[in-house]
Amino acid sequence: MMGAKLLLLLVASSLCLSAAIAAQQTCPADLDSKCGDAASGDWEGEFFPGIPKIKYEGPSSKNPLAYKWYNAEEVILGKKMKDWMRFSVAFWHTFRGTGGDPFGAPTKSWPWEDGTNSLDMAKRRMRAHFEFMEKLGVDRWCFHDRDIAPDGKTLTETNKNLDEIVELAKKLQEETNIKPLWGTAQLFMHPRYMHGAATSPEVKVYAYGAAQVKKALEVTHYLGGENYVFWGGREGYQTLLNTDMKRELDHLASFLQAAVDYKKKIGFNGPLLIEPKPQEPTKHQYDWDVATTFSFLQKYGLTGEFKINVECNHATLSGHSCHHELETARINGLLGNIDANTGDPQIGWDTDQFLTDISEATLVMSSVVKNGGLAPGGFNFDAKLRRESTDVEDMFLAHISGMDTLARGLRNVVKLIEDGSLDELVRKRYQSFDSEIGALIEAGKGDFETLEKKVLEWGEPIVPSGKQELAEILFQAAL
């Protein structure tokens, strides 16, 4: 009987997806289309003709191209859901991801791609990107400079290419009211950065990286970006045998300070964010985790200038949970943005999968709610389709799933708050510090002599149970 019900459910879901995809097509985005001049960067066909605008239909919906939990305008805990989430599409994974890996060739060839990295192709890709966001109902995006525009033979030519694509992006933003959550410079792919950028032992590479960040800051500001991110994928080392760690860390700090100075000079008021990662591609990356990054910022007097962009997959690579990294950032006033993704616990590298675990999403959202939200940061889907997912609609399905998962996490946090049992368990666990002597300790006035006298007065302490199992039951009840 259960098998028959499951079969009916699968058939219904399949029919819903087929119906959505079979909607009337208008000007399909493939290079054989007669709708426009496909060889021209000015071509503006519809890129996702079979995909409707994604709408909220509620938990009972069987339509895979609909939101079940994410209702953008619904007010939860005093804010619209879209203001809690501030979702963003990552240009690089969504529109530059090929499905290739170290063991296999690319598997994805989107209909609008012509196999080149030309300016015309970059323009067509940018138009596809904005149509995707409009249909998804997301009004923010994130980009690397080199993902949206091709390298030239010189820095001048490269900047000219970037300017041309940025002008198109600006025009599309004005038409759609979409803007960047953040921008960044890609300082890890080009061979010149094989030893790093800010930590390269070659001063000419350091200077080139600075020039690239200068331009990336300018275009992020020009496009109305709300933040700017530093991810130092190669700011680290492969071996200490040939590395002067102190000198490299000093150089990194000088680079970041120069970025702060230039940001202020051009009037960019958005936060600068550092995205920690322990390793890959380097053996050891200097911003290993949130605590290491906080220590670095403190040492070099940069704590007031930077916040943290926590990526969940990076958290697990560093041996922490995403919740741990978020809480470490939050309690130190550093939580600025979240790269919403996850890794596979059976795989030891950065798989950048869409977050679909309801339990993890609930923990993530509990930190966000305690932080009062993420603005001017948000959730960026730094996540990619699996190598084997090669249909255009998979791009939508992946983002819908990720958005619904986090929305469901937010709804679960509401349940936990309204029930109050878990918060009360935590309060009771620390209630001994609500005493006079506890208040003295928390005020930094609990000297050892006074505490010794209290111990002699009290005798051996009776230590209560931590009630971990009860805490887990209360948490799971909200899921």
Side-chain angles (χ1 to χ4, degrees):
M1 187 66 180
M2 287 299 292
K5 288 182 178 179
L6 179 60
L7 180 59
L8 286 171
L9 180 61
L10 290 172
V11 169
S13 296
S14 177
L15 288 173
C16 286
L17 180 56
S18 299
I21 294 169
Q24 184 177 0
Q25 299 192 7
T26 58
C27 197
D30 72 66
L31 299 180
D32 297 323
S33 170
K34 304 301 182 183
C35 296
D37 181 4
S40 168
D42 294 331
W43 178 70
E44 298 187 42
E46 186 174 359
F47 295 91
F48 306 96
I51 307 291
K53 286 193 174 183
I54 309 303
K55 298 179 180 179
Y56 172 73
E57 294 184 4
S60 64
S61 173
K62 299 298 185 291
N63 179 9
L65 289 174
Y67 296 117
K68 319 298 187 302
W69 302 95
Y70 177 61
N71 187 7
E73 299 296 327
E74 182 179 349
V75 176
I76 292 180
L77 298 176
K79 291 183 185 179
K80 290 182 178 180
M81 190 172 276
K82 66 179 183 181
D83 295 326
W84 278 114
M85 302 305 187
R86 294 171 58 83
F87 286 132
S88 166
V89 172
F91 187 91
W92 55 98
H93 280 320
T94 310
F95 284 88
R96 300 311 305 269
T98 66
D101 65 23
F103 301 95
T107 59
K108 297 171 177 48
S109 180
W110 304 127
W112 53 85
E113 292 285 338
D114 65 6
T116 72
N117 196 30
S118 66
L119 274 171
D120 281 348
M121 185 61 249
K123 291 175 183 177
R124 187 182 303 130
R125 197 180 288 126
M126 185 63 71
R127 289 192 179 93
H129 172 59
F130 272 82
E131 183 183 315
F132 176 77
M133 289 187 290
E134 275 202 290
K135 289 196 169 184
L136 195 64
V138 170
D139 56 8
R140 290 176 176 83
W141 65 295
C142 295
F143 65 92
H144 295 95
D145 51 359
R146 298 299 178 260
D147 294 328
I148 63 173
D151 259 320
K153 294 180 180 179
T154 65
L155 180 62
T156 300
E157 183 181 327
T158 299
N159 286 347
K160 183 180 178 182
N161 290 345
L162 183 58
D163 285 339
E164 193 166 335
I165 300 302
V166 164
E167 285 304 323
L168 173 61
K170 182 81 167 178
K171 174 178 176 289
L172 293 169
Q173 287 187 173
E174 290 169 352
E175 293 172 356
T176 59
N177 202 29
I178 293 171
K179 62 182 178 180
L181 181 65
W182 51 260
T184 188
Q186 188 195 79
L187 303 178
F188 51 86
M189 185 172 288
H190 195 282
R192 79 172 68 90
Y193 296 125
M194 65 180 181
H195 302 303
T199 59
S200 174
E202 173 51 59
V203 69
K204 292 179 181 178
V205 173
Y206 180 101
Y208 202 108
Q212 192 173 332
V213 170
K214 173 182 177 291
K215 183 64 175 178
L217 275 166
E218 290 168 359
V219 300
T220 300
H221 183 35
Y222 178 70
L223 289 171
E226 298 178 89
N227 307 265
Y228 184 88
V229 168
F230 291 87
W231 177 62
R234 298 194 188 274
E235 311 300 354
Y237 61 80
Q238 300 294 358
T239 175
L240 285 173
L241 293 175
N242 65 356
T243 301
D244 186 333
M245 187 191 291
K246 181 182 183 305
R247 205 167 187 184
E248 290 195 3
L249 287 167
D250 289 346
H251 291 171
L252 178 58
S254 295
F255 192 97
L256 294 175
Q257 181 60 61
V260 171
D261 295 341
Y262 192 67
K263 161 198 159 173
K264 294 177 180 178
K265 183 175 182 178
I266 65 174
F268 177 57
N269 296 319
L272 300 178
L273 305 171
I274 294 178
E275 181 180 323
K277 186 179 182 182
Q279 60 222 159
E280 189 197 12
T282 60
K283 176 181 177 180
H284 178 93
Q285 194 167 307
Y286 289 132
D287 51 359
W288 181 275
D289 59 7
V290 172
T292 304
T293 304
F294 184 32
S295 176
F296 171 87
L297 293 173
Q298 286 179 312
K299 177 181 178 181
Y300 290 100
L302 294 167
T303 48
E305 305 292 351
F306 287 85
K307 289 194 172 186
I308 302 293
N309 177 35
V310 174
E311 179 171 323
C312 289
N313 202 168
H314 293 179
T316 52
L317 290 176
S318 66
H320 306 303
S321 66
C322 187
H323 191 211
H324 167 90
E325 288 291 84
L326 292 172
E327 285 298 280
T328 303
R330 182 184 70 80
I331 65 176
N332 288 295
L334 291 171
L335 181 54
N337 194 82
I338 298 174
D339 269 8
N341 63 16
T342 191
D344 190 311
Q346 294 179 305
I347 298 176
W349 64 82
D350 194 9
T351 55
D352 286 333
Q353 296 170 235
F354 280 84
L355 176 60
T356 57
D357 185 289
I358 305 300
S359 176
E360 184 175 8
T362 303
L363 293 170
V364 167
M365 290 311 304
S366 71
S367 291
V368 172
V369 170
K370 288 176 183 176
N371 198 60
L374 292 171
F379 281 100
N380 174 50
F381 284 108
D382 189 3
K384 58 190 175 185
L385 293 177
R386 297 302 85 200
R387 174 177 166 81
E388 302 79 13
S389 299
T390 56
D391 291 339
V392 168
E393 63 263 25
D394 293 336
M395 299 167 69
F396 286 89
L397 296 172
H399 283 82
I400 291 167
S401 176
M403 294 165 72
D404 262 347
T405 298
L406 286 165
R408 193 169 179 180
L410 177 59
R411 294 179 186 278
N412 289 342
V413 171
V414 174
K415 293 179 187 177
L416 289 168
I417 291 172
E418 290 176 346
D419 176 74
S421 299
L422 187 55
D423 286 340
E424 180 63 11
L425 185 151
V426 175
R427 187 197 68 77
K428 285 183 177 179
R429 190 167 181 232
Y430 295 91
Q431 66 183 354
S432 67
F433 277 87
D434 296 332
S435 62
E436 183 179 349
I437 191 68
L440 199 66
I441 292 169
E442 292 186 341
K445 298 177 182 179
D447 63 85
F448 280 5
E449 291 88 349
T450 299
L451 295 175
E452 181 187 44
K453 289 177 183 177
K454 296 302 293 184
V455 169
L456 294 173
E457 175 187 331
W458 290 333
E460 185 64 27
I462 298 174
V463 183
S465 169
K467 294 294 182 183
Q468 179 177 331
E469 293 76 13
L470 176 57
E472 290 166 348
I473 289 171
L474 295 173
F475 177 75
Q476 291 292 330
L479 304 187

